[in-house]
């Protein structure tokens, strides 16, 4: 006799991480433990978000972050719990967070000897929480360049995205998903609230070569580079042979917009504008990890001229223009920007 549980074969995040540990002969379980604790912190943040409308954690905390943006109460909550979870692993020697001006050092006990540093946007899109829109956490992991046992410093974070050993995001939506890569493909896990575990739901995610969705804040159209304006007009022209016009979809939460386009095919754009000539999204906390995931899924990520992952960081909170998604669509944007350099 077959029961319901017989057909419910699950692989949890922890089981999957352990199974894939052989992919990294230089690691002896440290990276696995670090990723496990990311999952733990995500569950804590998810629980708080799910009851956000019931407790006093929505809205502004009465402060601004280093980007000059209003800090939301849940930003602080997420930042605190991810830092606490990573400190507990003793596998991370320092953290750079979008919410903090300086890096956070773990100089106590085993942490100083840890081989990894961690970058994160603890709660991307948090201003949408008041209206029940999906938000997310974005993270990436690097091997430190300073000697183990010494004080970590800024040089550990000033590495191009090609040096990432892992990157991922958690999307807190109608279901909660954790998507990550360690350079061996992209895998997605959905939180099963009945057992409290992230379970493998989207193995080996591959993004379509070309999609029919474009995501951009068209309210800033007047301030966009000429090449971006040309691409938007291209997206809106009727041409059945190329499945145009494309569909415009923009949530205003990078994780949510990228996740949709990753699965369905599309391009996300946050170009430079007259008000933000260097773009608005942060290289270390948002662009590098999302670019790593995109490339591992068969997509592409660009600053409009070159590969995001090859940019040499110069500042902890550096911003760059960002175009990411299906390869053919990103290349179309690059080509039109190249036709109108400096415009």
């Amino acid at each position: 006799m077959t029961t319901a549980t017989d057909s419910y074969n699950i692989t949890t995040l922890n089981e999957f991480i352990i199974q894939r540990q052989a992919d990294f002969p230089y690691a002896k379980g440290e990276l696995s433990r670090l990723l496990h604790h990311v999952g733990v912190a995500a569950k804590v943040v998810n629980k708080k978000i799910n009851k956000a409308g019931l407790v006093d954690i929505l809205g502004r905390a009465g402060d601004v972050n280093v980007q000059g943006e209003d800090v939301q109460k849940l930003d602080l909550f997420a930042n605190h719990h991810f830092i606490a979870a990573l400190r507990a692993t003793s596998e991370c020697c320092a953290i750079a967070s979008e919410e903090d001006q300086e890096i956070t050092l773990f100089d106590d006990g085993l942490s100083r000897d840890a081989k990894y540093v961690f970058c994160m946007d603890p709660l991307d899109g948090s201003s949408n929480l008041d209206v029940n829109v999906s938000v997310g956490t974005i993270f990436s992991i690097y091997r430190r360049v300073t000697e183990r046992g010494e004080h970590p410093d800024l040089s550990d974070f000033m590495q191009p995205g090609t040096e990432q050993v892992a990157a991922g995001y958690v999307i807190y939506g109608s279901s909660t998903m954790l998507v990550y890569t360690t350079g061996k493909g992209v895998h997605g896990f959905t939180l099963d609230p009945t057992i409290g575990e992230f379970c493998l739901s989207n193995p080996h995610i591959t993004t379509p070569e070309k999609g029919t969705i474009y995501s951009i804040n068209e309210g800033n159209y007047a301030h966009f580079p000429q090449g971006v304006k040309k691409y938007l007009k291209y997206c809106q022209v009727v041409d059945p042979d190329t499945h145009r016009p494309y569909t415009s979809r923009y949530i205003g939460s990078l994780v949510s917009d990228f996740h949709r386009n990753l699965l369905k095919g599309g391009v996300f754009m946050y170009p430079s504008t007259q008000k933000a000539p260097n773009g608005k999204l942060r290289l270390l906390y948002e662009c590098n990890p999302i670019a790593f995931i995109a490339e591992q899924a068969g997509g592409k990520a660009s600053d409009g001229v070159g590969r995001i992952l090859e940019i040499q960081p110069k500042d902890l909170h550096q911003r760059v223009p960002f175009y990411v998604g299906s390869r053919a669509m990103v290349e179309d944007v690059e080509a039109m920007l190249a036709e109108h350099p400096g415009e």
Side-chain angles (χ1 to χ4, degrees):
M1 179 178 177
T2 301
T3 66
T5 54
D6 291 332
S7 61
Y8 188 35
N9 297 316
I10 63 172
T11 300
T12 67
L13 174 64
N14 291 341
E15 290 170 340
F16 188 83
I17 290 171
I18 292 170
Q19 291 169 8
R20 301 300 292 264
Q21 193 167 300
D23 289 340
F24 304 95
Y26 58 79
K28 296 179 172 60
E30 300 99 334
L31 182 60
S32 297
R33 288 191 289 274
L34 195 51
L35 289 169
H36 162 73
H37 278 77
V38 170
V40 171
K43 288 186 227 178
V44 174
V45 173
N46 174 71
K47 193 167 185 179
K48 188 67 71 173
I49 288 173
N50 283 346
K51 60 179 181 180
L54 303 176
V55 295
D56 185 29
I57 55 174
L58 285 177
R60 298 178 181 177
D63 201 356
V64 294
N65 64 13
V66 296
Q67 316 298 335
E69 301 163 336
D70 290 319
V71 177
Q72 305 294 315
K73 292 180 181 179
L74 261 175
D75 288 338
L76 301 178
F77 179 88
N79 196 48
H80 169 77
H81 279 279
F82 270 94
I83 290 175
L86 294 166
R87 185 189 297 274
T89 70
S90 298
E91 306 298 352
C92 176
C93 64
I95 293 176
S97 169
E98 180 189 316
E99 300 302 330
D100 298 321
Q101 179 70 49
E102 306 293 340
I103 60 176
T104 298
L105 304 180
F106 297 156
D107 269 349
D108 52 323
L110 297 174
S111 294
R112 184 181 291 189
D113 197 44
K115 65 171 67 172
Y116 297 111
V117 297
F118 194 89
C119 297
M120 67 174 176
D121 179 351
L123 205 60
D124 170 70
S126 59
S127 61
N128 288 319
L129 277 167
D130 286 356
V131 291
N132 206 23
V133 171
S134 298
V135 296
T137 297
I138 309 172
F139 67 90
S140 64
I141 301 170
Y142 296 80
R143 283 194 295 275
R144 67 187 297 179
V145 296
T146 53
E147 293 292 328
R148 296 176 67 179
E150 299 296 324
H151 288 283
D153 59 34
L154 198 59
S155 66
D156 292 307
F157 296 92
M158 295 296 101
Q159 302 184 59
T162 51
E163 299 305 308
Q164 293 173 101
V165 296
Y169 61 84
V170 184
I171 181 168
Y172 311 100
S174 55
S175 62
T176 297
M177 284 191 68
L178 187 153
V179 177
Y180 87 99
T181 182
T182 53
K184 302 287 184 178
V186 179
H187 309 282
F189 299 79
T190 300
L191 183 63
D192 184 339
T194 62
I195 61 174
E197 295 286 351
F198 282 103
C199 302
L200 182 63
S201 56
N202 300 75
H204 306 289
I205 295 173
T206 301
T207 196
E209 173 71 14
K210 190 167 187 176
T212 59
I213 299 172
Y214 68 96
S215 307
I216 190 171
N217 182 0
E218 293 189 70
N220 290 324
Y221 180 87
H223 306 290
F224 289 156
Q226 192 61 36
V228 174
K229 291 179 179 178
K230 182 176 179 181
Y231 180 74
L232 293 179
K233 292 301 182 184
Y234 168 83
C235 292
Q236 295 160 3
V237 169
V238 176
D239 183 359
D241 290 340
T242 56
H243 305 289
R244 289 182 288 151
Y246 295 156
T247 300
S248 175
R249 292 285 184 269
Y250 184 72
I251 298 171
S253 168
L254 170 60
V255 168
S256 301
D257 280 309
F258 174 74
H259 182 71
R260 178 198 55 243
N261 293 356
L262 176 69
L263 299 179
K264 293 181 175 291
V267 60
F268 174 89
M269 298 172 281
Y270 210 115
S272 59
T273 64
Q274 295 173 13
K275 294 180 180 179
N278 295 318
K280 187 177 180 182
L281 299 181
R282 294 79 175 175
L283 177 62
L284 292 183
Y285 313 118
E286 296 164 316
C287 301
N288 271 343
I290 293 297
F292 189 22
I293 294 167
E295 288 194 5
Q296 284 296 309
K300 186 171 184 176
S302 170
D303 65 353
V305 178
R307 187 183 179 205
I308 283 287
L309 295 182
E310 293 179 352
I311 297 175
Q312 175 61 53
K314 297 177 181 178
D315 179 78
L316 199 60
H317 299 287
Q318 180 176 342
R319 301 173 190 254
V320 294
F322 195 44
Y323 307 89
V324 64
S326 297
R327 176 172 294 276
M329 299 181 81
V330 174
E331 290 175 350
D332 284 343
V333 178
E334 287 181 317
M336 294 185 193
L337 285 168
E339 292 175 4
H340 302 274
E343 296 182 35

